[in-house]
Amino acid sequence: AAMEHFTLNFTITNLMFTTDLQTPNSRKFRSAEKIMKHYVDSLLQKSSIGPHFTGCKVTGFRSGRHGDDTEVDAVCSYKDNGSLASLDREKLFQELSTMTNNVTKLGLYSLDRSSLYIDG
């Protein structure tokens, strides 16, 4: 089975961006990374790629368009064992949209409705 990757990006509107979120070894980065990984991994495990899903790594936090928002970048992996033709980004997008209440909620966090992006 080959390991395949895709990127996942979204914007959190109720997590104020601060420069220590950009510093990979800061306490704030590690804390936010752990929380995001938990939420994103649990969503993807419930999606159609769930049986093939191997995990996500948060690669960074960036200042959002509105200054206070925080953009989240993650790289996620799954095993492609041939039964999964290729990542159906549209289907996965629809599933994640539904699971996040139309891209408005991720656990404790509010999401920018137009910010969810999946790139295979």
Side-chain angles (χ1 to χ4, degrees):
M3 193 63 80
E4 300 288 334
H5 305 281
F6 62 94
T7 56
L8 182 65
N9 313 89
F10 54 91
T11 301
I12 298 171
T13 58
N14 63 340
L15 176 63
M16 169 93 62
F17 180 79
T18 55
T19 51
D20 52 348
L21 272 173
Q22 277 180 311
T23 311
N25 287 325
S26 73
R27 239 188 10 233
K28 190 156 185 177
F29 179 96
R30 286 198 309 267
S31 169
E33 174 189 40
K34 199 168 149 185
I35 294 164
M36 287 309 131
K37 183 174 171 32
H38 166 77
Y39 284 138
V40 171
D41 284 359
S42 63
L43 273 185
L44 288 165
Q45 284 163 348
K46 294 177 201 149
S47 76
S48 59
I49 70 161
H52 311 282
F53 176 68
T54 56
C56 290
K57 176 171 178 28
V58 173
T59 55
F61 297 102
R62 294 176 284 131
S63 176
R65 282 192 300 259
H66 304 294
D68 295 347
D69 300 356
T70 299
E71 294 182 11
V72 180
D73 301 319
V75 175
C76 303
S77 307
Y78 64 96
K79 286 192 178 90
D80 183 358
N81 60 3
S83 67
L84 199 66
S86 67
L87 178 68
D88 186 339
R89 290 195 302 264
E90 229 167 88
K91 180 181 182 187
L92 186 58
F93 179 87
Q94 287 306 323
E95 291 172 350
L96 294 181
S97 294
T98 301
M99 289 189 265
T100 55
N101 203 11
N102 281 332
V103 195
T104 59
K105 280 239 147 311
L106 180 63
L108 309 166
Y109 297 104
S110 301
L111 300 176
D112 175 337
R113 286 192 70 146
S114 59
S115 70
L116 182 64
Y117 182 73
I118 300 167
D119 181 27

